[in-house]
């Protein structure tokens, strides 16, 4: 049981480049979400999903796209990277329903130059 | 919107109990109090949660006041590995991994 797996762990992009951050979970969780964490700050929600085929925007969605074609995977796409997107990105998952806890991946540290 | 208020930092001697306070005066009836921690730059780790009763697990105890406007996370015997940022989060019980507002948390430093 690997939990929540994020790849890559580190990435450097040039301004304007696009890329996809991968997130996979093997716990059959319905809920998945992406957060970003800037230095000295708490995590902020980018996008989330309540099940395959269903996604919605969080607090800071601009510049990011997501899709959820399977229960296991929830990739985050940066369309045209900007220096303001330099951050650490965390993926999380949980069961749906009441009274559940979130499981987080180990993060992807992204630098946009 | 900040739903919780936590002190920015605290120190605790190794082996002593660490008591981390959290104010959540606007909590509504269907909202739970969750605690997560983040060690160094790792992904946040779930600790404990509760609705209105005190809760205990192998990691910690959670004490919620009767009016539910504040709570305290207790690490009974703090170790150096408990040095981390602790986040108190108020959210509906159905939130799961979604719509968690982390704030800036309390940085706990356990001192040898």
């Amino acid at each position: 049981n690997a939990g929540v797996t994020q790849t890559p762990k580190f990435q450097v992009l040039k301004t304007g480049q696009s890329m996809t951050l991968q997130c996979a979970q093997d716990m059959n969780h319905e809920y998945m979400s992406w957060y970003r964490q800037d230095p000295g700050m708490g995590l902020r929600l980018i996008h989330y999903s309540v099940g395959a085929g269903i996604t919605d925007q969080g607090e800071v969605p601009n510049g990011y796209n997501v899709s959820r074609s399977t229960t296991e995977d929830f990739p985050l796409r940066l369309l045209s990277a900007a220096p303001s997107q330099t951050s650490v990105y965390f993926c999380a998952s949980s069961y749906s329903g009441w009274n559940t806890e979130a499981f987080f991946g180990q993060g992807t540290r992204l630098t946009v130059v | 919107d900040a739903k919780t208020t936590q002190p920015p930092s605290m120190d605790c001697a190794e082996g002593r109990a660490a008591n981390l306070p959290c104010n959540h005066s606007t909590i509504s009836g269907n909202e739970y109090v969750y605690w997560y921690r983040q060690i160094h730059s790792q992904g946040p780790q779930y600790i404990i949660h509760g609705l209105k009763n005190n809760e205990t697990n192998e990691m910690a105890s959670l004490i919620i006041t009767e009016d539910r406007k504040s709570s305290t996370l207790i690490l009974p015997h703090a170790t150096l590995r408990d040095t981390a940022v602790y986040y108190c989060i108020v959210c509906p019980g159905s939130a799961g991994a979604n719509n968690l507002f982390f704030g800036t948390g309390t940085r706990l430093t356990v001192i040898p």
Side-chain angles (χ1 to χ4, degrees):
Chain A
N1 206 347
V4 179
T5 303
Q6 292 184 235
T7 56
K9 288 185 171 52
F10 301 94
Q11 182 71 48
V12 178
L13 285 180
K14 293 183 179 179
T15 298
Q17 285 185 318
S18 63
M19 79 160 294
T20 299
L21 279 63
Q22 301 291 345
C23 176
Q25 53 89 11
D26 60 359
M27 297 173 282
N28 202 31
H29 286 167
E30 296 91 345
Y31 287 4
M32 294 187 75
S33 54
W34 277 100
Y35 293 83
R36 62 176 285 175
Q37 185 174 32
D38 299 323
M41 307 276 289
L43 281 70
R44 291 184 293 168
L45 182 67
I46 305 172
H47 285 285
Y48 65 97
S49 169
V50 298
I54 306 169
T55 64
D56 207 344
Q57 296 181 350
E59 181 185 357
V60 288
N62 292 341
Y64 308 95
N65 272 357
V66 292
S67 60
R68 184 96 179 271
S69 56
T70 67
T71 299
E72 295 78 18
D73 300 299
F74 191 43
L76 178 72
R77 280 181 282 276
L78 280 70
L79 308 173
S80 177
S84 61
Q85 294 179 304
T86 294
S87 190
V88 182
Y89 291 84
F90 291 100
C91 179
S93 73
S94 70
Y95 288 111
S96 63
W98 210 253
N99 209 11
T100 62
E101 67 192 76
F103 294 81
F104 286 83
Q106 289 305 298
T108 294
R109 186 175 297 274
L110 175 69
T111 302
V112 182
V113 298
Chain B
D1 292 339
K3 291 187 175 182
T4 64
T5 303
Q6 299 179 251
S9 63
M10 294 181 63
D11 293 339
C12 178
E14 188 177 16
R16 304 296 295 267
N19 297 286
L20 290 85
C22 180
N23 287 324
H24 32 79
S25 58
T26 61
I27 191 170
S28 61
N30 69 339
E31 289 183 317
Y32 285 68
V33 180
Y34 278 77
W35 284 84
Y36 288 82
R37 72 180 182 183
Q38 188 174 27
I39 297 173
H40 196 45
S41 297
Q42 298 176 18
Q45 174 191 24
Y46 165 82
I47 301 173
I48 198 168
H49 74 283
L51 182 62
K52 55 183 179 181
N53 297 320
N54 298 338
E55 302 287 345
T56 296
N57 63 19
E58 65 278 4
M59 289 182 67
S61 294
L62 175 60
I63 308 298
I64 302 174
T65 58
E66 191 169 344
D67 63 7
R68 302 210 320 126
K69 292 185 176 181
S70 65
S71 60
T72 301
L73 177 74
I74 301 172
L75 308 178
H77 305 286
T79 71
L80 298 179
R81 286 176 293 182
D82 292 322
T83 292
V85 178
Y86 288 76
Y87 296 99
C88 171
I89 297 170
V90 167
C91 62
S94 58
N98 299 338
N99 282 306
L100 301 178
F101 183 81
F102 276 79
T104 53
T106 296
R107 180 173 298 278
L108 174 69
T109 303
V110 180
I111 302 169

